[in-house]
């Protein structure tokens, strides 16, 4: 398996080795002292790490997270990252996100639409190390392209593509090929892995700006 970022560890919890971060629990996950399980079945980024993808994460990065929902994954990211901006469109999950952010001074929730980066460009700094995207909407590549403006030249895009959000009737392979093509003007794909072991009809992509 690939090395994990600093601040992320594999620990034996409930009789098996689990990927964990150190921080306050958020969603009732199993814990071992200060360490809490990063459940890959509830997190696409967690699945990417569990499956051994080379994400380029080292720990301490500045992060823009799109599709933060109620904070399940982004709270783990904030446990090992630097400043972490969490964009979520729906007001109801943002209430939970605010609770997750309360003990994490480096986690900044934003009630915004990831398809409209102009609405938060005055808050989110440019030159960020990582863009994490888990937005279940049509046009996932378009969202990644529009938000590329926030990434440093040597930054990384960590994208979880949900085929059924693009086209519920299309073959996932055809959807993924279209997403790759749409990304190609702004990004170079470095790695990709199907996430079906944890998330059906999902593809994990690691890319860097062109």
């Amino acid at each position: 398996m690939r090395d994990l970022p600093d601040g992320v560890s594999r620990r034996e919890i409930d009789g098996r080795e689990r990927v964990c971060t150190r921080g306050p629990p958020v969603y009732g996950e199993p814990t071992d002292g200060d360490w809490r399980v990063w459940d890959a079945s509830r997190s696409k980024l967690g699945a990417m790490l569990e499956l051994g993808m080379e994400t380029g994460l080292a720990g301490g990065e500045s992060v823009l997270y799109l599709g933060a929902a109620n904070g399940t994954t982004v709270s783990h990211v904030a446990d090992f990252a630097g400043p972490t901006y969490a964009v979520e469109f729906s007001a109801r999950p943002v209430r939970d996100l605010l609770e997750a952010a309360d003990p994490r001074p480096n986690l900044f929730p934003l009630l915004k639409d990831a398809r409209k980066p102009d609405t938060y460009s005055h808050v989110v700094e440019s030159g960020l190390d990582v863009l994490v995207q888990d937005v279940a909407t049509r046009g996932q590549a378009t969202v990644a392209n529009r938000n590329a403006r926030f990434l440093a030249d040597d930054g990384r895009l960590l994208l979880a593509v949900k085929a059924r959000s693009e086209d519920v009737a299309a073959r996932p392979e055809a959807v993924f090929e279209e997403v790759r093509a749409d990304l190609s003007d702004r990004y170079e794909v470095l790695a990709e892995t199907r996430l079906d072991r944890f998330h059906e009809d999902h593809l994990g992509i690691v890319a860097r700006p062109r």
Side-chain angles (χ1 to χ4, degrees):
M1 301 294 272
R2 299 286 186 181
D3 290 340
L4 295 170
D6 288 345
V8 184
S9 176
R10 294 185 184 275
R11 306 180 70 84
E12 186 171 324
I13 298 180
D14 293 342
R16 61 190 178 96
E17 192 176 76
R18 315 285 292 274
V19 173
C20 300
T21 62
R22 183 184 278 123
V26 169
Y27 52 96
E29 65 273 30
T31 59
D32 178 15
D34 293 336
W35 292 92
R36 63 191 188 108
V37 168
W38 193 344
D39 188 346
S41 67
R42 299 187 62 163
S43 167
K44 283 78 169 189
L45 181 56
M48 292 166 71
L49 292 172
E50 188 69 64
L51 293 169
M53 286 193 75
E54 181 53 82
T55 62
L57 292 170
E61 292 91 351
S62 53
V63 179
L64 173 59
Y65 192 105
L66 305 178
N70 61 358
T72 298
T73 298
V74 76
S75 65
H76 285 289
V77 173
D79 284 347
F80 69 87
T84 303
Y85 301 94
V87 174
E88 172 53 43
F89 176 68
S90 300
R92 175 59 189 91
V94 166
R95 284 182 248 168
D96 295 332
L97 177 58
L98 287 168
E99 289 186 20
D102 186 56
R104 295 175 171 87
N106 63 321
L107 179 54
F108 308 106
L110 299 171
L111 179 58
K112 299 291 184 181
D113 187 341
R115 296 169 296 184
K116 300 175 180 179
D118 284 343
T119 64
Y120 47 87
S121 61
H122 62 294
V123 177
V124 178
E125 61 192 278
S126 60
L128 296 176
D129 299 312
V130 181
L131 171 61
V132 181
Q133 182 178 319
D134 180 16
V135 179
T137 186
R138 187 183 295 272
Q140 292 164 81
T142 299
V143 172
N145 289 339
R146 289 176 180 172
N147 284 273
R149 61 197 284 184
F150 297 109
L151 273 178
D153 292 341
D154 59 349
R156 288 290 183 273
L157 167 68
L158 308 180
L159 171 63
V161 182
K162 183 177 182 180
R164 300 306 179 193
S165 292
E166 292 288 346
D167 188 336
V168 70
R171 292 184 304 107
E173 293 79 8
V175 171
F176 299 147
E177 185 58 37
E178 184 174 346
V179 169
R180 290 186 200 100
D182 290 344
L183 288 173
S184 62
D185 286 342
R186 298 299 299 269
Y187 296 98
E188 176 190 359
V189 173
L190 303 176
E192 59 178 61
T193 296
R194 289 288 294 263
L195 306 181
D196 297 77
R197 175 178 159 194
F198 299 103
H199 303 277
E200 187 175 2
D201 297 332
H202 281 71
L203 180 71
I205 292 177
V206 179
R208 64 185 174 195
R210 288 193 181 276

